[in-house]
Amino acid sequence: MRNIKLNPATNSNILLDKDNIKDFKAITRGEVMLPGDHGYESARKVWNAMIDRKPGLIVRCIGTHDVIQAVNFARDNNLLVAVKGGGHNVAGNAVCDGGIMIDLSLMRSVRVNTTNKTVRVSGGCLLGDVDYETQLHGLAVSAGIVSHTGVAGLTLGGGFGWISRKYGLTVDNLISADVVTAEGKVLTASREENTDLFWGIRGGGGNFGIITSFKFKCAEIGTEVFSGMMIQPFEDAKKYIQFHREYVRKLPDEMTVWMVVRHAPPLPFLPERLHGRMVVAIPFVYLGDRTTGEELIRPIREFGHPHGEAMGMNPWLEWQAGFDGLGSHGARNYWKSHHLEDLSDEVIDKILEFAGKFPSPDCEIFIPHMQGAPSRVAENETAYTFRSTPYVLNIHTRWNDAAEDEKCIAWARDFFENTKPFANGVYVNFISEEGEARVKEAYTHETWGRLTQLKNRYDPTNLFRMNQNIKPSG
Ligand SMILES: Cc1cc2nc3c(=O)[nH]c(=O)nc-3n(C[C@H](O)[C@H](O)[C@H](O)COP(=O)(O)OP(=O)(O)OC[C@H]3O[C@@H](n4cnc5c(N)ncnc54)[C@H](O)[C@@H]3O)c2cc1C
């Protein structure tokens, strides 16, 4: 076996000799891979094809024991550490150049407790893993909308989706988590134990340790939900958005209606001539009976001259995977995002101006409506901030050809700068690689101070820094 230089990123001259790696392999129950090993190339890939990093070593853990060994090995050898949950993060923090990638993707067990309606989820699970097991009992965890997203990264940033207006953010449903700290200790964080850590991991990202297991409260939603999509013409977008901004804010928490400005996918209910045309797509989910749901969305169906619609009682598992194709692995992605207090006429004009010059046909402007149960939780209850801003403006820039990187990124940045005057904060999970000042904008000043104190306590050497990083102040 060869010597490998593991820490080019920090310029440290650490060479692990073959005995050192052999010893590490001997105490690891999962797989340890070096460049050139079978499986290394696929293991280092993450969702965003813009990210092409080559770790010095990849360890695919199969349990908490492996995670502890990997953390100890990394710390003792001064290695740069990246932690992979689902590998979905747009910034690509799940993989590093040089250093060690601690990959949890083999840790995907899900155990439902039907008596108290809770679920225990391992640190490498994807959202679909949780949906499949909980749905056996008509249960669900409030989380995101694409089934191949990782539970860990999503939860650590906050987590929202189709049922969060009714049931709260993913962090609001977190009961406890097992955390491997930088010291290699396992701590349980909950309302009863290590309460400071419990506060921090609910929004503060992967800064404080590696979560090997989460326990969530489940919602009893049944196995089918009244859901669907309506399509409005882009030509009427301004009028529609003006209507939408007022209308969604009057809806009960059971009804979630979002909005996406994009080129129409080849949806079976749309005439072929509209495929690829710019449209406003309006997907919705209603947690209740069909008749009431239909009554609630009637104003949208009757607004203007819609292109088409499809709706019905859809199996939750199908609905949760319905958007997977639009966010599939392997494309190049660059995201920008804001929280918005209002969809004012000026913001709408900017949205339509930039939608009119999409740099690629796969781009979209995604506008979820957020208020509901999350806004009724006190702001200082969790590290997740900006609970009462009503809208998110997500600039999803997506393309395939590396030659278009510059054009696509420039468009996103320009759009972002043009809408920044209307913004109030950002969701940490939607930040690309944008530096510390931007990470701070995901939190209030007070929350940032508290997170820094927590970092000083649990990770004073910043071992866990491949994330939206909160530096220790020492
Ligand atoms: C197509 C798509 C759809 C999305 N939809 C939603 C949505 O509906 N709602 C929503 O809230 N968000 C959504 N997101 C954003 C998503 O929450 C983030 O991308 C999140 O970081 C993904 O988590 P992951 O585990 O897959 O990511 P990873 O890239 O594996 O990790 C993200 C960060 O978390 C850290 N991390 C991962 N696992 C652990 C662990 N076990 N312990 C400690 N740290 C860890 C990593 O080191 C990294 O810093 C979406 C993202 C994409 C790409």
Side-chain angles (χ1 to χ4, degrees), residues 259-469:
M259 186 166 50
V260 191
V261 181
R262 59 165 299 128
H263 290 97
L267 297 164
F269 63 88
L270 278 186
E272 229 176 282
R273 67 185 162 77
L274 293 176
H275 296 175
R277 283 261 300 271
M278 284 293 288
V279 293
V280 181
I282 306 135
F284 75 90
V285 166
Y286 180 63
L287 298 166
D289 66 276
R290 180 177 181 142
T291 314
T292 318
E294 277 180 351
E295 198 47 39
L296 282 166
I297 53 151
R298 197 150 54 91
I300 304 184
R301 301 172 85 178
E302 291 176 355
F303 186 91
H305 307 283
H307 279 323
E309 61 173 40
M311 60 191 66
M313 294 303 294
N314 291 304
W316 180 243
L317 283 176
E318 278 179 26
W319 180 258
Q320 280 289 85
F323 295 86
D324 286 5
L326 295 178
S328 57
H329 285 255
R332 304 177 82 76
N333 291 273
Y334 185 77
W335 286 9
K336 287 289 210 178
S337 184
H338 302 295
H339 287 307
L340 291 179
E341 289 295 350
D342 191 13
L343 278 169
S344 63
D345 286 356
E346 292 103 305
V347 176
I348 298 174
D349 287 341
K350 289 293 171 197
I351 290 171
L352 300 181
E353 176 192 335
F354 281 86
K357 46 184 181 183
F358 272 157
S360 103
D362 293 332
C363 295
E364 62 181 25
I365 301 167
F366 192 87
I367 308 173
H369 169 229
M370 301 290 288
Q371 281 169 319
S375 349
R376 292 190 288 273
V377 174
E379 191 104 310
N380 63 0
E381 176 74 22
T382 63
Y384 179 91
T385 317
F386 301 109
R387 286 177 166 276
S388 43
T389 35
Y391 311 104
V392 172
L393 174 64
N394 253 353
I395 303 167
H396 288 173
T397 326
R398 189 175 162 90
W399 67 103
N400 290 305
D401 185 352
E404 300 196 331
D405 287 2
E406 208 177 310
K407 177 180 79 173
C408 292
I409 292 172
W411 172 84
R413 288 188 174 150
D414 195 15
F415 189 0
F416 172 82
E417 289 304 331
N418 271 271
T419 41
K420 189 140 203 228
F422 309 102
N424 181 20
V426 61
Y427 175 33
V428 74
N429 273 349
F430 291 159
I431 302 180
S432 292
E433 212 173 335
E434 298 174 51
E436 185 182 347
R438 184 64 179 150
V439 183
K440 272 189 180 169
E441 287 176 7
Y443 306 100
T444 59
H445 181 70
E446 190 197 340
T447 301
W448 183 259
R450 216 169 140 185
L451 286 166
T452 306
Q453 290 308 316
L454 207 60
K455 187 74 174 177
N456 289 343
R457 174 154 187 212
Y458 287 100
D459 186 18
T461 64
N462 209 4
L463 182 70
F464 302 115
R465 60 181 177 277
M466 286 294 296
N467 43 42
Q468 299 299 351
N469 196 225

Side-chain angles (χ1 to χ4, degrees), residues 83 85-89 144-145 150 152-154 159-160 209 211 335 427 429 466-467:
V83 180
H88 239 238
N89 196 263
I145 66 162
L154 177 133
F160 70 91
I211 317 294
W335 286 9
Y427 175 33
N429 273 349
M466 286 294 296
N467 43 42

Side-chain angles (χ1 to χ4, degrees), residues 46-47 81-90 92-95 104 123-127 143-146 148-162 170 205-207 209-212 214 258 323-324 326-328 335 366 396 398 427 429-430 466-468:
V46 291
W47 174 80
V81 175
V83 180
K84 181 181 175 191
H88 239 238
N89 196 263
V90 69
N93 284 324
V95 61
L104 273 66
C125 280
L126 306 183
L127 300 188
I145 66 162
V146 167
H148 45 75
T149 312
V151 172
L154 177 133
T155 303
L156 292 167
F160 70 91
W162 297 115
T170 313
N207 274 286
I210 302 182
I211 317 294
T212 53
F214 298 89
W258 291 355
F323 295 86
D324 286 5
L326 295 178
S328 57
W335 286 9
F366 192 87
H396 288 173
R398 189 175 162 90
Y427 175 33
N429 273 349
F430 291 159
M466 286 294 296
N467 43 42
Q468 299 299 351

Side-chain angles (χ1 to χ4, degrees), residues 177-194:
D178 293 342
V179 188
V180 175
T181 64
E183 280 183 310
K185 289 194 179 137
V186 189
L187 299 179
T188 297
S190 71
R191 277 182 214 286
E192 290 78 38
E193 290 174 80
N194 301 300

Side-chain angles (χ1 to χ4, degrees), residues 62-134:
I62 60 167
T64 303
H65 166 272
D66 282 355
V67 176
I68 295 171
Q69 299 308 328
V71 166
N72 290 341
F73 182 76
R75 190 195 53 243
D76 295 347
N77 291 288
N78 194 21
L79 306 181
L80 181 65
V81 175
V83 180
K84 181 181 175 191
H88 239 238
N89 196 263
V90 69
N93 284 324
V95 61
C96 46
D97 264 327
I100 183 170
M101 176 180 187
I102 303 179
D103 176 357
L104 273 66
S105 61
L106 299 180
M107 293 172 59
R108 285 173 66 176
S109 111
V110 178
R111 196 156 46 87
V112 182
N113 182 329
T114 51
T115 310
N116 58 17
K117 313 274 189 286
T118 61
V119 61
R120 178 60 81 175
V121 176
S122 291
C125 280
L126 306 183
L127 300 188
D129 299 329
V130 181
D131 280 332
Y132 267 93
E133 300 305 320
T134 51

